[in-house]
Amino acid sequence: MPHHPNPHEHHTDEVHAPRPVHYAEQALLGAILLEPHQLTTIDALDAGHFSTHAHGTLWQAMRELPPPDPDTHRSSPAWLNAVLDLARPHAPGLTATYLHNLIQVCPSPGTLPRTRG
């Protein structure tokens, strides 16, 4: 006998496309991963403003670590590794690959908004 879905049941196999804000968050996080010193220009956001737990956790980790020297950051992944190490216990699904993807989707770190002023 075929199963007729009940519209009131929750289907865990349904996949929903991310909301547009997800992509904006990815670009922002990627920009900060590329240029961590830009954190000093953004003070209006906290982890609770992000649409996903993983993004909020990454943001919190970035805020807790001091930004690296820009010259050192260009030649060493130490800060990126520290961000991942700090965030991963709170969002175990985070990977170095995801951080790389965030950097890839960032159109240009120079487009970060300035909130101080």
Side-chain angles (χ1 to χ4, degrees), residues 47-108:
H49 289 117
F50 287 84
S51 66
T52 68
H53 176 73
H55 285 176
T57 300
L58 275 174
W59 181 256
Q60 186 65 38
M62 291 178 195
R63 300 295 290 194
E64 289 181 21
L65 294 169
D69 172 73
D71 290 331
T72 302
H73 186 62
R74 279 191 281 283
S75 62
S76 169
W79 189 78
L80 298 174
N81 292 335
V83 166
L84 188 58
D85 290 345
L86 187 58
R88 194 176 288 165
H90 307 286
L94 288 173
T95 63
T97 300
Y98 189 66
L99 269 59
H100 178 76
N101 289 341
L102 292 173
I103 291 167
Q104 292 256 319
V105 300
C106 172
S108 170

Side-chain angles (χ1 to χ4, degrees), residues 1-65:
M1 176 179 238
H3 175 70
H4 297 287
N6 180 338
H8 302 290
E9 289 179 1
H10 292 284
H11 298 282
T12 57
D13 60 343
E14 292 179 12
V15 176
H16 299 281
R19 297 180 320 176
V21 70
H22 177 81
Y23 301 107
E25 290 173 3
Q26 286 183 320
L28 172 66
L29 294 169
I32 297 299
L33 291 170
L34 283 169
E35 294 184 359
H37 65 278
Q38 295 286 355
L39 278 167
T40 62
T41 67
I42 304 170
D43 53 45
L45 289 177
D46 65 44
H49 289 117
F50 287 84
S51 66
T52 68
H53 176 73
H55 285 176
T57 300
L58 275 174
W59 181 256
Q60 186 65 38
M62 291 178 195
R63 300 295 290 194
E64 289 181 21
L65 294 169

